[in-house]
Amino acid sequence: MNLKSVDLNLLVAFDALVSERNVTRAADKLGVTQSALSHALRRLRATFSDPLLTRGPNGMEPTDLALELVQPIRAVLSEVHSIMTTRVAFDPATTTRTFSLSMSDAMSIEVLPAIVRRLRKSAPNVDLVVTTAGPRSTCSRIVDDEVDLAVGVFPERPSDICSRELFRDTIVCVADRHHPKLRRGRMDETSYLACPHVTVAPNLDSGVQIDDIMAAMGLDRRVMATVSHYIAVPGLVRGTDLVAHTRRRLIGLLRDSADLVAFPIPVPVRVPDLSFVQMWHRRYDRDSGHRWLRDLVRAAIAEA
């Protein structure tokens, strides 16, 4: 194939079509007309001698060849983006760029205010779109260029995603300070297991799974409530006989935290710390604006 005949925009169109699996949505994503994208799809099919996308019960389905092409084409686009943005000047005081962040509800309470304060001072025209998703979904959204930067705990990350640790936190037990089984602000294993518990489901707040640790050790307990976020835990145990686990940093951020007691989880095994990172696709690794955002987030979290 003569590379002079290859239009790079066709690869951009291919990536959008495979991601959206719908011509209208892909056209909206690229800011082009539906007819223009349909024309691009015809050219792609002719270039690769394959239908690439066919109609199915759930929309347009990629062919086997299209699935094989996804990662190589995204790698090419990532490298081109990196080359084109390496030396592009970025002025935070004047830019009107919009960045998309992904973080849990707890992180939005914990660190987002400090990020926004810094943005308002140094980049008043920058806009943020903040969303929440589970770890696997967040990684997929970064790969699909739906999220610029994610902050949280991500035990598994694809090879084309970059990351940098921001801070560590500890999982602790929390109970009402008037809990009848507390002794000098602590609770032994027998008392702890005898209490009704609140636990956090692993869908959004991820990392150390106390339930898995308990099951591996053969420890049995009654889970009275399962919630989606660590941020919900303190309010549930306050004024009750429940015990739960949550992140230590969150307790001090909440009102009426003086009514709570935090103490180490009384099990005969060390519970590992949670490593919080910021995560981005390598296509933005050398992007000057993206580097600025990462530095700002790191400084804001250090402040918070």
Side-chain angles (χ1 to χ4, degrees):
M1 180 182 295
N2 187 348
L3 289 179
K4 292 181 180 179
S5 66
V6 177
D7 183 352
L8 182 62
N9 288 318
L10 290 180
L11 302 186
V12 176
F14 172 87
D15 185 51
L17 285 164
V18 173
S19 296
E20 298 297 331
R21 303 192 181 188
N22 179 282
V23 173
T24 301
R25 290 199 302 268
D28 289 341
K29 182 177 182 179
L30 296 178
V32 301
T33 64
Q34 184 175 341
S35 61
L37 198 59
S38 296
H39 177 66
L41 178 57
R42 289 193 294 271
R43 291 180 62 190
L44 282 164
R45 286 168 169 166
T47 299
F48 290 104
S49 301
D50 187 90
L52 297 178
L53 291 155
T54 59
R55 294 194 180 279
N58 299 316
M60 301 186 76
E61 299 292 336
T63 64
D64 290 343
L65 177 61
L67 292 175
E68 291 177 11
L69 292 171
V70 169
Q71 290 306 319
I73 286 179
R74 284 180 177 167
V76 169
L77 294 176
S78 174
E79 190 63 27
V80 170
H81 182 280
S82 180
I83 292 170
M84 298 299 293
T85 58
T86 296
R87 297 190 177 278
V88 174
F90 179 81
D91 181 6
T94 59
T95 184
T96 57
R97 192 163 169 178
T98 297
F99 292 103
S100 57
L101 272 62
S102 179
M103 59 179 64
S104 69
D105 288 353
M107 293 296 292
S108 294
I109 294 174
E110 187 176 1
V111 304
L112 187 57
I115 293 172
V116 170
R117 283 194 298 270
R118 285 180 173 259
L119 280 176
R120 295 307 300 154
K121 288 180 180 179
S122 61
N125 297 314
V126 162
D127 293 332
L128 285 183
V129 177
V130 182
T131 56
T132 298
R136 291 183 180 177
S137 177
T138 299
C139 289
S140 297
R141 295 183 69 204
I142 287 179
V143 170
D144 292 340
D145 206 17
E146 297 175 5
V147 171
D148 293 313
L149 189 68
V151 178
V153 180
F154 304 98
E156 298 179 2
R157 299 185 286 273
S159 59
D160 51 356
I161 288 182
C162 306
S163 64
R164 181 172 183 175
E165 186 174 87
L166 297 169
F167 67 91
R168 288 178 174 255
D169 202 0
T170 304
I171 298 295
V172 295
C173 281
V174 63
D176 187 89
R177 69 169 47 257
H178 300 297
H179 196 290
K181 292 188 181 294
L182 279 175
R183 296 293 182 269
R184 297 180 180 179
R186 296 290 187 270
M187 196 178 291
D188 61 34
E189 181 182 326
T190 301
S191 299
Y192 170 73
L193 294 176
C195 294
H197 286 241
V198 178
T199 193
V200 179
N203 57 340
L204 293 178
D205 277 306
S206 61
V208 176
Q209 300 304 328
I210 301 300
D211 296 329
D212 295 341
I213 293 175
M214 296 285 188
M217 297 177 63
L219 300 177
D220 188 28
R221 60 180 180 153
R222 179 198 167 198
V223 175
M224 180 266 169
T226 301
V227 296
S228 299
H229 302 278
Y230 285 122
I231 200 71
V233 168
L236 295 179
V237 303
R238 185 179 293 112
T240 73
D241 63 342
L242 296 169
V243 296
H245 61 276
T246 190
R247 294 202 286 112
R248 181 180 292 278
R249 283 171 57 112
L250 289 179
I251 298 174
L253 293 174
L254 303 176
R255 291 182 300 174
D256 302 325
S257 60
D259 296 333
L260 305 174
V261 172
F263 54 94
I265 301 176
V267 295
V269 64
R270 181 185 178 278
V271 178
D273 290 343
L274 293 171
S275 173
F276 284 79
V277 303
Q278 57 178 340
M279 184 173 69
W280 65 96
H281 198 278
R282 68 182 182 90
R283 70 171 70 90
Y284 292 114
D285 198 38
R286 292 180 285 181
D287 181 307
S288 57
H290 203 282
R291 287 202 309 268
W292 170 85
L293 176 67
R294 300 195 302 265
D295 290 342
L296 181 141
V297 168
R298 188 173 69 254
I301 289 178
E303 170 195 325

